[in-house]
Amino acid sequence: MTTRRAFLTGSAMLAAGGLASFPVIAQGIAIGGIRVDARRLGPQGWGENAPRIARALELELARQLAPLRQRGGPTLYVTVQGLWLAGSAGTGGAGDAGDNDNMDSLAEVIDRGRVLFSRDVRSHLLSSSGGAWYRPDVDQRRVVALLENNAQWIKRYLGA
């Protein structure tokens, strides 16, 4: 006959054993500073816009990663490796790869010369993500949409 004590002890052991088998959810990596390097964009045709893109991504990352910011923490270094806009905005469908805007970056968290985290990040958005194709600032809005998307992926990979 099962007693209440035996039942409770067995239940507690099962619960503890079950919990021990689940992986621990990682907490987000604390970030002290954020640095973005977009120099590779210059030779790709972005010219004097490369520093503006770097600054805009840095500001977007600072906004999105605010909960992870910690004075004296490691630095997040993001190298923008490429940014490509499709030839036309607002055409094609979701499955049409030729109509995607793309951004590639490398996100690394470095503390005192030691790499704590490294991840290639690739963002793909439909060229219509910047809104109406006939507006004069459509390309700027497409770049902003890519920067926001890339920052969101970096945030996700950092555990925020």
Side-chain angles (χ1 to χ4, degrees):
M1 183 168 157
T2 305
T3 65
R4 186 168 32 160
R5 181 176 297 168
F7 176 75
L8 292 174
T9 303
S11 297
M13 288 176 63
L14 281 173
L19 291 176
S21 66
F22 292 119
V24 177
I25 297 174
Q27 293 183 350
I29 299 173
I31 300 297
I34 298 171
R35 303 288 178 263
V36 177
D37 178 5
R39 287 178 287 179
R40 293 183 182 188
L41 295 181
Q44 293 177 16
W46 290 96
E48 73 265 358
N49 290 317
R52 289 186 211 136
I53 290 169
R55 183 68 183 141
L57 181 57
E58 194 172 301
L59 291 172
E60 183 63 25
L61 285 165
R63 184 184 71 77
Q64 289 195 28
L65 298 176
L68 295 180
R69 298 300 295 268
Q70 180 182 18
R71 177 176 239 125
T75 302
L76 170 65
Y77 291 94
V78 178
T79 304
V80 180
Q81 298 173 331
L83 194 142
W84 303 272
L85 298 180
S88 59
T91 61
D96 186 8
D99 197 37
N100 286 338
D101 295 335
N102 301 287
M103 179 178 171
D104 290 339
S105 66
L106 173 64
E108 296 178 303
V109 177
I110 301 175
D111 187 24
R112 297 180 192 105
R114 189 172 59 118
V115 177
L116 304 176
F117 168 88
S118 180
R119 180 76 184 228
D120 286 314
V121 182
R122 177 169 283 175
S123 295
H124 302 280
L125 292 176
L126 287 175
S127 59
S128 60
S129 64
W133 60 268
Y134 51 82
R135 299 227 355 229
D137 63 342
V138 66
D139 290 338
Q140 291 87 347
R141 288 184 287 115
R142 289 166 65 188
V143 170
V144 168
L146 277 172
L147 297 178
E148 288 174 355
N149 183 269
N150 203 263
Q152 287 170 354
W153 279 108
I154 292 170
K155 176 182 173 181
R156 179 178 183 203
Y157 292 139
L158 290 174

PDB file of all heavy atoms in Angstrom, residues 39 113 136 158:
ATOM      1  N   ARG A  39      32.984  50.067 -42.909  1.00  0.00           N
ATOM      2  CA  ARG A  39      33.944  50.476 -43.936  1.00  0.00           C
ATOM      3  C   ARG A  39      33.887  49.605 -45.187  1.00  0.00           C
ATOM      4  O   ARG A  39      34.205  50.074 -46.274  1.00  0.00           O
ATOM      5  CB  ARG A  39      35.359  50.468 -43.378  1.00  0.00           C
ATOM      6  CG  ARG A  39      35.617  51.625 -42.414  1.00  0.00           C
ATOM      7  CD  ARG A  39      36.988  51.556 -41.856  1.00  0.00           C
ATOM      8  NE  ARG A  39      37.013  50.450 -40.883  1.00  0.00           N
ATOM      9  CZ  ARG A  39      38.090  50.091 -40.212  1.00  0.00           C
ATOM     10  NH1 ARG A  39      39.232  50.685 -40.411  1.00  0.00           N
ATOM     11  NH2 ARG A  39      38.030  49.101 -39.346  1.00  0.00           N
ATOM     12  N   GLY A 113      39.943  41.329 -25.032  1.00  0.00           N
ATOM     13  CA  GLY A 113      40.594  40.562 -26.087  1.00  0.00           C
ATOM     14  C   GLY A 113      40.066  39.150 -26.269  1.00  0.00           C
ATOM     15  O   GLY A 113      40.486  38.450 -27.180  1.00  0.00           O
ATOM     16  N   PRO A 136       9.956  59.497 -52.625  1.00  0.00           N
ATOM     17  CA  PRO A 136      11.344  59.823 -52.963  1.00  0.00           C
ATOM     18  C   PRO A 136      12.372  59.235 -51.991  1.00  0.00           C
ATOM     19  O   PRO A 136      13.518  59.030 -52.364  1.00  0.00           O
ATOM     20  CB  PRO A 136      11.384  61.353 -52.944  1.00  0.00           C
ATOM     21  CG  PRO A 136      10.161  61.786 -52.228  1.00  0.00           C
ATOM     22  CD  PRO A 136       9.151  60.685 -52.341  1.00  0.00           C
ATOM     23  N   LEU A 158      21.763  37.421 -28.827  1.00  0.00           N
ATOM     24  CA  LEU A 158      22.399  37.757 -27.547  1.00  0.00           C
ATOM     25  C   LEU A 158      21.559  37.335 -26.350  1.00  0.00           C
ATOM     26  O   LEU A 158      22.000  37.431 -25.216  1.00  0.00           O
ATOM     27  CB  LEU A 158      22.697  39.253 -27.473  1.00  0.00           C
ATOM     28  CG  LEU A 158      23.797  39.750 -28.393  1.00  0.00           C
ATOM     29  CD1 LEU A 158      23.904  41.266 -28.324  1.00  0.00           C
ATOM     30  CD2 LEU A 158      25.124  39.104 -28.042  1.00  0.00           C
TER      31      LEU A 158
END
